[in-house]
Amino acid sequence: MLRVALFGCGRIGRVHAAAVAAHPRAELAWVCDPMEAAAKELAGQYGAEAGSDVAAVLADESVDAVIVASPTPTHVELLTAAVRAGKAVMCEKPIDLDLIRVDACWNEIGELSPTVMVGFNRRFDPSFREIRDRVSAGEIGRLEQLVITSRDPAPAPKAYIETSGGLFRDMTIHDFDMARFLLGASGSGEVVEVQAMGANLIEPYIAEAGDIDSAVVVLRSADGALAQITNSRRCVFGYDQRVEAFGATGMLTAQNQLPTSVRYAGADRSEAAAPYQNFFLERYSAAYALELDHFVTAVEAGTAPSPSFADGRAALVLADAAAESLRTGSTVRVAG
């Protein structure tokens, strides 16, 4: 059994705790959070130890791996400490909001050949994974255009927006990783150009925080393929998550997920269905379980997990490029 320590017991921490508890080859050993009462409550659900002392948790030699699900500003410190303690690490995205801090982190831990995985869970969504596999198999020929749609059901609260790092680093970063993941299935997945447009159409407090709530980003890969990402902080009909891969000989699409396949037809409407799944906890539940299984298997086998630290850095580079494009109104070349 892989004994796992969880840092952070907020919403995403609870998702990871449940995934570990459900995995047949993993065990939740510790829950660590500055809010010790919350840590004890979550740990109690799964028979784990609880505490707020990071050093004490990392000193436990029975702990094999760590999941960092704490607030973003703590990621680098916890990731670095865990690697230095000899633990494998799965770190939620982003590694940090500042590329300089990300590079400094790798300069400190890279020489230790660490096992580090970044939590871009959408790579493990069965539908998105199937698209990548079929593109890789050549089913649609050369990939020429990729369309990624990602819209949240409702804007995050004002306090969250003010510390999120902006839409590109907080939300679009998942889509930047997905673009690299899918573009890489047919030729080079490395993006060489980024052009972004943004708008404030939804909530005044988002604009007041210096952020945008709507965006369209166009990417060009090294082999010429084009990708378009469409984001919105609001979608009244649910969590809108779609992918379209268009190639020389065909097209593959992944549509939104519905609770059931039931449709209604009547005098006033046809093909009416239930709203899309509400948010990421429901839509990506399978992806979180498969993500953890990949991490557990990699640690057991001593292989490098994917997405890697380098993948986390690459997505942040694209987020920074999009922010620069939005600021300047120009296409930004990406050097890496």
Side-chain angles (χ1 to χ4, degrees):
M1 297 290 283
L2 190 79
R3 286 176 55 80
V4 179
L6 172 66
F7 289 100
C9 61
R11 181 170 59 178
I12 193 62
R14 290 173 181 273
V15 171
H16 287 301
V20 172
H23 197 283
R25 303 192 312 279
E27 175 186 358
L28 189 63
W30 279 92
V31 176
C32 185
D33 194 286
M35 299 181 67
E36 198 158 354
K40 288 180 178 178
E41 185 270 325
L42 182 60
Q45 295 181 34
Y46 302 109
E49 297 290 328
S52 58
D53 188 340
V54 172
V57 174
L58 294 179
D60 185 343
E61 295 183 358
S62 74
V63 171
D64 306 297
V66 163
I67 297 176
V68 177
S70 51
T72 298
T74 68
H75 286 184
V76 165
E77 181 181 354
L78 291 173
L79 192 160
T80 301
V83 167
R84 291 207 166 277
K87 316 298 185 186
V89 182
M90 182 164 74
C91 180
E92 268 301 326
K93 66 82 194 169
I95 299 168
D96 194 80
L97 298 174
D98 186 338
L99 192 61
I100 293 175
R101 278 176 52 82
V102 171
D103 288 341
C105 176
W106 185 253
N107 287 338
E108 186 168 346
I109 68 174
E111 63 184 12
L112 301 175
S113 300
T115 298
V116 176
M117 179 175 169
V118 176
F120 288 122
N121 68 293
R122 296 181 193 180
R123 289 192 182 205
F124 299 92
D125 175 75
S127 296
F128 297 165
R129 175 71 64 158
E130 182 176 337
I131 285 183
R132 187 184 194 278
D133 290 345
R134 292 170 71 171
V135 170
S136 183
E139 186 170 337
I140 61 170
R142 176 185 176 182
L143 181 61
E144 297 173 350
Q145 296 178 342
L146 177 68
V147 180
I148 299 171
T149 301
S150 179
R151 298 184 176 107
D152 284 354
K158 182 175 184 289
Y160 177 89
I161 294 293
E162 290 174 341
T163 61
S164 70
L167 184 138
F168 294 135
R169 297 181 184 89
D170 171 56
M171 180 179 177
T172 323
I173 197 165
H174 271 295
D175 306 309
F176 289 135
D177 181 71
M178 183 55 56
R180 294 184 65 249
F181 182 61
L182 295 174
L183 290 169
S186 176
S188 172
E190 294 310 319
V191 173
V192 297
E193 288 183 317
V194 178
Q195 187 169 26
M197 295 188 70
N200 293 100
L201 305 171
I202 300 171
E203 283 288 357
Y205 68 76
I206 298 177
E208 291 166 5
D211 197 8
I212 55 173
D213 52 43
S214 307
V216 175
V217 184
V218 177
L219 314 173
R220 187 192 306 274
S221 74
D223 66 353
L226 298 176
Q228 176 183 297
I229 297 168
T230 300
N231 288 149
S232 175
R233 287 286 192 186
R234 180 195 62 207
C235 182
V236 297
F237 47 84
Y239 194 37
D240 190 11
Q241 299 285 292
R242 290 173 281 139
V243 168
E244 174 186 292
F246 176 85
T249 62
M251 182 172 72
L252 294 163
T253 61
Q255 298 296 334
N256 279 305
Q257 302 288 316
L258 298 171
T260 73
S261 61
V262 175
R263 300 290 191 275
Y264 167 81
D268 60 334
R269 54 196 164 138
S270 62
E271 289 296 313
Y276 300 143
Q277 291 182 327
N278 183 55
F279 205 15
F280 70 92
L281 297 180
E282 297 86 0
R283 171 61 180 82
Y284 289 115
S285 58
Y288 281 112
L290 292 167
E291 174 188 54
L292 179 70
D293 184 67
H294 175 82
F295 178 64
V296 170
T297 300
V299 176
E300 291 172 338
T303 56
S306 176
S308 65
F309 189 100
D311 290 317
R313 182 189 188 277
L316 183 60
V317 167
L318 297 184
D320 285 353
E324 177 69 8
S325 176
L326 181 67
R327 185 183 69 82
T328 63
S330 302
T331 299
V332 175
R333 293 283 301 179
V334 178

